[in-house]
Amino acid sequence: MKRLASLLLILLTLSTTLNADDSIPSKLKNSPLCISLELTTKYMWRAIEYGDAPTSFAIINYEHKGFSAYAEGVYAFNGSHSEVDLGVAYNYKWLTVGVNDYYYPSSVGEKDHYFKLSSRKTGHYLEGAFTFAPEKIPLWLTLSTYF
């Protein structure tokens, strides 16, 4: 545990002294593909805490002409939580419409499989979302529901 804490401290120190934008060629700065790795001390989402272990978030996002798609993998370092998210959305001016698939393999037990999509026997949760973001008002409203 001390080794992990030391590694995280070193990474945090390096991240405050290095600026990644300086090393990226200007022709790649506007790429429609974004890949990121985020580390947190614990995982909280929509005000729900999913344990207190450090957590990693690996994300791949692609955007082109209003269309976006992403894939995200979440894993708690102590194994208490894992998640795979997929989503697609389309944005036109001030309106974004999207569908997300949140998959929690540990939510229904050991017999769950990723491609088993039957109701109440899977760790998949589908969400539809509408986001209204007027251009002249610095505020947006998101309406979403699981189905």
Side-chain angles (χ1 to χ4, degrees):
M1 188 65 183
K2 285 184 179 183
R3 187 177 262 175
L4 177 62
S6 298
L7 177 63
L8 289 174
L9 182 62
I10 291 170
L11 289 173
L12 288 173
T13 304
L14 288 175
S15 68
T16 59
T17 59
L18 298 176
N19 187 350
D21 285 339
D22 293 339
S23 62
I24 299 173
S26 61
K27 66 181 180 182
L28 295 178
K29 286 186 180 180
N30 294 325
S31 173
L33 182 66
C34 178
I35 300 172
S36 68
L37 176 63
E38 301 172 13
L39 301 173
T40 63
T41 56
K42 63 181 175 180
Y43 181 31
M44 289 191 69
W45 183 67
R46 295 183 180 177
I48 299 171
E49 185 176 312
Y50 290 92
D52 58 0
T55 306
S56 65
F57 298 80
I59 305 166
I60 298 174
N61 186 52
Y62 179 79
E63 295 183 17
H64 183 71
K65 294 185 179 181
F67 171 79
S68 64
Y70 79 94
E72 177 178 15
V74 179
Y75 185 75
F77 291 164
N78 69 356
S80 65
H81 179 77
S82 61
E83 175 182 339
V84 176
D85 303 337
L86 301 173
V88 294
Y90 185 76
N91 175 263
Y92 180 74
K93 294 186 180 182
W94 50 267
L95 175 65
T96 301
V97 178
V99 176
N100 301 304
D101 172 28
Y102 304 111
Y103 175 65
Y104 305 96
S106 57
S107 67
V108 293
E110 296 177 17
K111 295 183 180 182
D112 185 33
H113 299 285
Y114 186 82
F115 292 106
K116 186 175 186 178
L117 301 175
S118 61
S119 179
R120 295 189 180 133
K121 295 180 183 177
T122 182
H124 288 272
Y125 296 89
L126 294 177
E127 174 189 53
F130 295 91
T131 300
F132 304 94
E135 294 176 7
K136 297 184 180 189
I137 302 172
L139 178 70
W140 70 84
L141 172 68
T142 298
L143 301 172
S144 62
T145 186
Y146 288 104
F147 53 89

